[in-house]
């Protein structure tokens, strides 16, 4: 019987739409922000000006990903400034031949290095390069300052529309995200002792990352002066002991039975209180009598969280702060600059992107390709560092562009320029936020017809834009595959295995910190270390998931190492659970036991980093019923993946 053929996982995963609700507010905002400038441009007889403003609005729509309004000012405005700078660089070298090639390539190097810093920097780097490519490839209105100014105006339109509801919803997004973290904690409690616990823990890690990022972004400047912010931070801090106690409850002996439903129900009630901003005396908690150290820790943590959740004015400078204050803006700026200039990852990605853009610019300079800027635009989108696998992005970009062209063909062929452009743009713009959350290919399909319509308003090629844009996209995807993927076969190890090795080494340090201090000592320090470690592991998991979508051999290598990622997460959980049990009466491990576990983790980290054989560990060096028996079992499971038994 013939074997049934199936599509490769790296393709099916990218083409499978993610389950995400339609952001209706963003849909309406995108429709107005992109269509209104065209209406003004048409009414004033300057459709090209309107197209440039809409192009800036498109950049703002793409960058509008934050929840809190204060963060939206930052995430929209900063990338727009970089986009305007890119447009300025491009327009100044338009029509200068090889000077333009060299300038855009240099911008690509800077863009790539900037993109490795963080999320906002990534969008800023993207817009810097995209607009430099557009400015160098399209004849834009004079004088030289006008196109950047029009782009900035478009970004301001999006920002103004975004902030319209701010006076009516002050603090609502922040409360909602913290309440969402409490609900994730409740979900983790419901999964304690069950198979879905690991998946719920990963969801909780993402929720904690989002909450801390949202609140700490403002904290250095406003800590102690904003009662609302201080209260939300206190509530978020109070959830951390519940998370730690949940890890202990998950690993408690089976003779205790399943965790009573009253525990997650109490945390769900706290989530509602946080979201509604309730204050006063907390209602009485109807929690079962604790049975063992794990549930004693859980009851104590939930009672503490209830007290903090209803407290109207917590002390912003409380000594029990489990986060520590972040560095000031100036210090963080210096750290970012140092990471930008001295990081091997930053230079490596910048050089890869510059090589691909340089090849694209040289190719279209040597070979007559009409409106050749689309080749470099394709390379820019495909090589974006946080969009996923380069290989799968190249394929999905080609498929998404083809789908977008199918949408654009009837528009460019049948819709006359003028007032008809306004309702058409209003309709096409709604697709961008609606489809972007579904996946990269869907986002590409939504953005392509919008860019084509705006380009047509600037160069008036009409239906003749369609097929050249498809050819240009295929050329750009091919350049990305050759120069950005196949020429860098070892990039997988530096991107994934080295980060995993660092996480394992940090786990060894966490084990040492957890068990070399007496009960009740250094609790905030351990909480901060654990939070950072889970964030790093979340980033490692994301890198592995991207690698899993790549074709062999990279995908196969990632599949082989994937169990180590899962094992390290369980080691951190087991460490936290054991420490919680010690804090509530369980035996304290001997220093020799701690030394054995930390040494085995350090050996594992070195083997991952160097590829050398893992030193043999004595399987019975610790007694079966010692304090760290469960933790040692998880360490052996991780080591078994690297050095399987003969």
């Amino acid at each position: 019987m013939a074997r049934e053929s199936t599509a490769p996982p790296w393709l099916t995963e990218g083409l499978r739409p993610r389950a995400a609700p339609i952001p209706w507010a963003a849909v309406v905002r995108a429709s107005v922000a992109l269509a209104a400038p065209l209406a003004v441009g048409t009414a004033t007889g300057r459709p090209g000006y309107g197209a440039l403003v809409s192009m800036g609005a498109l950049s703002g729509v793409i960058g509008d990903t934050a929840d809190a309004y204060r963060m939206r000012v930052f995430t929209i405005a900063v990338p727009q400034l970089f986009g305007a700078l890119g447009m300025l660089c491009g327009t100044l070298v338009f029509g200068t031949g090889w000077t333009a090639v060299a300038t855009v390539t240099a911008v690509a190097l800077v863009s790539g290095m900037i993109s490795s810093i963080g999320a906002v920097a990534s969008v800023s780097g993207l817009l810097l390069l995209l607009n430099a490519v557009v400015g160098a490839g399209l004849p834009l209105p004079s004088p030289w300052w006008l196109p950047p100014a029009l782009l900035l105006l478009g970004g301001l339109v999006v920002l103004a529309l975004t902030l319209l509801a701010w006076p009516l919803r002050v603090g609502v997004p922040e409360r909602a995200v913290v309440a969402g973290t409490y609900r994730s904690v409740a979900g983790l409690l419901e999964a304690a002792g069950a198979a879905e616990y690991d998946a719920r823990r990963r969801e909780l890690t993402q929720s904690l990352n989002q909450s801390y990022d949202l609140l700490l972004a403002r904290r250095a400047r406003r800590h102690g002066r904003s009662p609302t912010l201080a209260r939300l931070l206190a509530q978020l801090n109070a959830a951390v002991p519940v998370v730690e106690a949940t890890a202990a409850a998950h690993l408690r002996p089976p003779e205790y039975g399943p965790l009573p439903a009253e525990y997650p129900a109490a945390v769900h009630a706290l989530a509602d209180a946080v979201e509604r901003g309730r204050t006063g005396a907390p209602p009485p908690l109807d929690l079962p009598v604790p049975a063992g150290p794990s549930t004693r820790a859980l009851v104590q943590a939930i009672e503490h969280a209830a007290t903090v959740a209803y407290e109207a004015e917590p002390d912003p400078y409380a000594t029990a702060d489990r986060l520590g204050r972040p560095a000031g803006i100036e210090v963080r700026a210096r750290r970012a600059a140092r990471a930008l200039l001295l990081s091997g990852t930053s230079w490596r990605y910048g050089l890869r992107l510059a090589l691909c853009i340089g090849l694209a610019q040289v190719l279209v300079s040597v070979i007559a390709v009409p409106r050749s800027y689309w080749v470099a635009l394709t390379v820019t989108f495909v090589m974006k560092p946080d969009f996923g696998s380069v290989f799968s992005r190249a394929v999905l970009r080609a498929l998404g562009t083809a789908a977008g062209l199918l949408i654009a063909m009837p528009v460019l062929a049948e819709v006359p320029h003028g007032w008809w452009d306004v309702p058409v743009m209003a309709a096409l713009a709604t697709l961008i936020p609606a489809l972007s959350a579904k996946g990269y290919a869907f986002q590409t399909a939504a953005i392509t017809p919008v860019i084509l319509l705006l380009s047509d308003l600037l160069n008036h090629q009409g239906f003749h834009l369609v097929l050249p844009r498809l050819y240009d996209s295929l050329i750009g995807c091919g350049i990305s595959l050759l120069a950005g993927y196949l020429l860098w076969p070892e990039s997988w190890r530096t991107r994934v295995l080295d980060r995993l090795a660092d996480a394992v080494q940090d786990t060894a340090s966490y084990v040492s910190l957890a068990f070399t201090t007496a009960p009740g000592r250094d609790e905030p320090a351990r909480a901060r270390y654990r939070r950072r470690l889970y964030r790093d592991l979340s980033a490692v998991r994301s890198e592995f998931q991207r690698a899993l979508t790549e074709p062999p051999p990279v995908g196969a290598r990632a599949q082989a190492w994937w169990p180590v990622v899962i094992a390290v997460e369980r080691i951190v959980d087991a460490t936290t659970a054991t420490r919680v049990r010690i804090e509530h009466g369980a035996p304290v491990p001997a220093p020799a036991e701690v030394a054995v576990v930390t040494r085995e983790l350090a050996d594992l980290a070195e083997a991952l980093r160097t590829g050398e054989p893992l030193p043999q560990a004595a399987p019975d060096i610790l007694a079966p019923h010692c304090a760290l028996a469960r933790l040692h079992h998880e360490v052996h499971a991780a080591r078994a993946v690297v050095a399987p038994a003969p």
Side-chain angles (χ1 to χ4, degrees), residues 592-593 595-597 599-600 616-624 626 632 636:
E593 298 176 16
V596 168
V597 174
R599 185 176 65 250
E600 291 189 355
Q616 186 66 34
D620 56 351
I621 195 168
L622 295 183
C626 71
H632 196 237
H636 268 266

Side-chain angles (χ1 to χ4, degrees), residues 516-598:
T516 55
T517 56
R521 296 287 301 278
D522 293 337
E523 184 181 353
R526 284 187 285 102
R528 288 193 292 270
Y529 203 101
R530 177 183 176 275
R531 177 89 285 278
R532 191 192 75 184
L533 185 54
Y534 265 122
R535 179 185 289 273
D536 292 344
L537 285 172
S538 177
V540 170
R541 173 178 281 273
S542 298
E543 290 288 358
F544 263 91
Q545 288 173 331
R546 292 171 189 167
L548 287 170
T549 63
E550 296 188 10
V554 171
R557 293 173 186 165
Q559 185 68 42
W561 291 106
W562 179 246
V564 179
V565 181
I566 299 173
V568 174
E569 292 175 339
R570 291 179 176 173
I571 290 169
V572 178
D573 259 4
T575 303
T576 302
T578 305
R579 178 67 198 205
V580 168
R581 289 172 58 81
I582 291 171
E583 294 282 347
H584 291 81
V588 178
E593 298 176 16
V594 179
V596 168
V597 174
T598 54

Side-chain angles (χ1 to χ4, degrees), residues 111-388:
S111 169
M113 296 179 68
I114 291 174
S115 297
S116 64
I117 296 177
V120 175
S122 178
V123 178
S124 300
L126 173 70
L127 296 184
L128 174 70
L129 181 55
L130 283 179
N131 290 335
V133 170
V134 171
L138 276 176
L140 299 177
S142 298
W144 58 269
W145 53 265
L146 183 59
L150 293 174
L151 281 181
L152 284 175
L153 179 60
L156 289 176
V157 170
V158 175
L159 186 59
L161 292 174
T162 301
L163 301 182
L164 281 177
W166 191 357
L168 304 177
R169 304 183 74 244
V170 173
V172 172
E174 290 89 343
R175 289 201 306 271
V177 77
V178 175
T181 297
Y182 270 79
R183 293 191 178 96
S184 296
V185 174
L188 188 68
L189 275 169
E190 291 169 344
E196 61 267 22
Y197 178 85
D198 287 342
R200 293 290 182 89
R201 188 198 62 236
R202 290 191 291 271
E203 293 173 4
L204 173 60
T205 298
Q206 293 175 352
S207 180
L208 283 167
N209 289 346
Q210 181 185 10
S211 297
Y212 280 135
D213 287 345
L214 184 64
L215 298 180
L216 290 181
R218 299 164 48 196
R219 191 176 189 216
R221 196 162 34 136
R222 296 177 56 84
H223 184 76
R225 291 188 293 163
S226 171
T228 301
L229 179 59
R231 185 173 184 229
L232 287 171
L233 282 168
Q235 291 169 343
L236 195 55
N237 284 337
V240 175
V242 184
V243 176
E244 294 175 342
T246 303
H250 173 63
L251 297 177
R252 67 183 188 152
E255 58 263 24
Y256 286 106
L259 197 66
E262 288 85 350
Y263 294 121
V267 179
H268 274 299
L270 293 181
D272 293 338
V274 169
E275 189 163 31
R276 290 172 172 80
R278 293 172 181 163
T279 59
L285 295 174
D286 186 18
L287 298 177
V289 177
S294 301
T295 46
R296 279 200 300 272
L298 189 56
V299 169
Q300 180 178 328
I302 293 176
E303 289 176 346
H304 171 68
T307 301
V308 175
Y310 282 87
E311 191 174 7
E313 297 181 358
D315 181 6
Y317 299 103
T319 57
D321 188 351
R322 303 172 69 89
L323 288 173
R325 296 187 201 172
I329 300 296
E330 300 81 2
V331 175
R332 283 184 281 172
R334 286 198 298 269
R335 289 175 181 172
R338 186 164 55 248
L340 175 68
L341 297 175
L342 302 180
S343 168
T345 301
S346 172
W347 279 99
R348 195 159 44 242
Y349 176 70
L351 290 173
R352 287 175 67 184
L353 182 58
L355 175 62
C356 293
I357 290 293
L359 288 176
Q361 293 291 93
V362 169
L363 178 66
V364 299
S365 298
V366 174
I367 302 174
V369 179
R371 303 301 177 193
S372 56
Y373 64 91
W374 198 272
V375 177
L377 285 181
T378 300
V379 170
T380 303
F381 276 112
V382 171
M383 293 296 296
K384 180 104 168 23
D386 49 0
F387 275 2

Side-chain angles (χ1 to χ4, degrees), residues 3-24:
R3 191 165 64 181
E4 185 178 346
S5 62
T6 58
W10 55 263
L11 180 59
T12 57
E13 183 66 25
L15 291 177
R16 185 183 297 115
R18 292 194 292 263
I22 296 177
W24 291 110

